Amino acid sequence: MSLPLVLDCDPGTDDALALFLALASPELDVLAITVAGGNVGLDRTLPNALALRSLTGRDIPVYAGADRPLLGSFASATRVHGIDGLGGIALPLGRPAEQEHAADAIRRIVRTAKAPITLVGIAPVTNFALALMTEPSIAANVEQIVLMSGAWGEGNATPAAEFNAVSDPEALAVVLACGRPIVIATLEVATQALCTPQHLADMRASGVGRCLRAACDIQGSVPFSRRLGGTGAALYDPIALAWLVRPDLFTTRPAQVTMDLGPGPCRGRTVIDRWGRTDQPANATVLETIDAEGFFALLTERFNCLP
Ligand code: BDR
Ligand code: CA
């Protein structure tokens, strides 16, 4: 039986590859794709999600959600993802989004599901927070929440904070406190699996499908970061999906995760107590290590299952 889930995203170059991995994996039953502003504005992330969905040929409903965080103002990440969010790779749009708001759709889907639903968040988690805040009882029918978010060390958006976390820290605090099992893929696990030019060349040579080609073109547009040594680009979001498909590729650690919600330079930092220094009970499972070559083999195999 495949795992019923809602995928919340902000495509976003790495979101694109995560979406392809999710839709190519028979282990996962993607009930809905919900979209937030994040890497670029919602006016771009929504058409990007629609175009990516359409390229896969899968008719999964797509819902537009929050275009800004619960508090504060919206900030994008165009330096990494390009002004259009997909590194300038133009794709046909496909059919439009559903009319329902993403947060309403999440609440309806979770409330009415026969089996508990997994929520996968690879964007600022505003849509999940809105759903949980406006109908807290849905948490009882959430199986787990799997996030790409945060860092136990240095950030990528600020010295202290990772992009998704700092883009809506209050929303992440709401999700972390909801009482359901949380799994977090942080920057650190992603940077163990840098996508090098060789990985990309091998992937490109593995097939001829339009999704494989789009994935390689999109990932090829991502600039290498100085922070990561300039040898490759991290593939953050697909790691959260890979955990659901191939948990054997990872080692994990239970930890207490809290948010720095202060106004200072550490705002948005995920404080991850990996060594139990606070004596507080763990509220999350943190992915600690990844088998990088196994991960790239999985991506390559699955992208070749798509048209
Ligand atoms: C996360 O931030 C976004 O830029 C990426 O899509 C990913 O979700 C990495 O920090
Ligand atoms: Ca993302």
Side-chain angles (χ1 to χ4, degrees):
M1 221 187 74
S2 53
L3 190 76
L5 65 82
V6 172
L7 177 61
D8 189 70
C9 58
D10 61 336
T13 53
D14 56 334
D15 299 73
L17 275 66
L19 198 141
F20 286 164
L21 177 58
L23 297 189
S25 293
E27 298 87 345
L28 309 179
D29 179 11
V30 183
L31 302 173
I33 296 166
T34 56
V35 187
N39 289 314
V40 285
L42 185 65
D43 60 330
R44 300 271 193 176
T45 56
L46 182 64
N48 289 347
L50 293 169
L52 294 162
R53 182 250 333 240
S54 165
L55 210 63
T56 68
R58 300 279 309 279
D59 202 23
I60 315 280
V62 174
Y63 301 87
D67 66 354
R68 67 196 74 177
L70 296 180
L71 302 177
S73 51
F74 174 77
S76 64
T78 49
R79 191 181 48 79
V80 176
H81 302 269
I83 49 167
D84 64 345
L86 292 181
I89 311 304
L91 300 171
L93 196 56
R95 79 173 177 87
E98 310 301 315
Q99 286 301 312
E100 198 178 12
H101 189 280
D104 292 335
I106 293 164
R107 290 181 359 217
R108 174 182 51 76
I109 290 166
V110 175
R111 188 195 316 120
T112 58
K114 293 206 171 59
I117 300 295
T118 292
L119 302 179
V120 183
I122 56 175
V125 288
T126 321
N127 291 330
F128 290 163
L130 286 171
L132 287 162
M133 287 162 69
T134 50
E135 192 173 337
S137 60
I138 61 166
N141 207 27
V142 170
E143 174 79 13
Q144 60 183 331
I145 303 175
V146 181
L147 303 174
M148 190 289 126
S149 196
W152 63 71
E154 193 181 16
N156 60 348
T158 73
E162 182 276 335
F163 178 80
N164 287 338
V166 76
S167 295
D168 198 341
E170 280 75 19
L172 185 51
V174 167
V175 170
L176 287 170
C178 81
R180 301 307 302 149
I182 311 264
V183 179
I184 300 196
T186 66
L187 292 181
E188 286 84 0
V189 73
T191 54
Q192 293 165 37
L194 287 190
C195 183
T196 64
Q198 189 60 55
H199 286 122
L200 212 50
D202 291 347
M203 201 181 276
R204 201 182 280 282
S206 70
V208 294
R210 62 184 190 224
C211 290
L212 177 81
R213 206 170 53 237
C216 293
D217 290 347
I218 291 168
Q219 184 58 27
S221 75
V222 178
F224 295 175
S225 126
R226 268 192 306 148
R227 186 177 63 87
L228 302 177
T231 56
L235 264 179
Y236 301 106
D237 293 340
I239 292 191
L241 281 307
W243 157 256
L244 289 171
V245 176
R246 286 284 307 278
D248 59 301
L249 296 176
F250 296 86
T251 64
T252 65
R253 181 185 295 270
Q256 208 223 19
V257 183
T258 53
M259 292 306 298
D260 189 322
L261 298 176
C266 291
R267 175 169 171 77
R269 178 178 171 83
T270 47
V271 181
I272 302 182
D273 184 14
R274 291 166 67 219
W275 307 106
R277 289 177 177 128
T278 60
D279 275 338
Q280 296 301 309
N283 61 344
T285 299
V286 177
L287 305 185
E288 280 215 328
T289 67
I290 182 169
D291 168 353
E293 296 316 313
F295 171 62
F296 285 110
L298 173 70
L299 292 180
T300 306
E301 177 215 323
R302 295 302 163 94
F303 293 166
N304 276 296
C305 296
L306 291 171

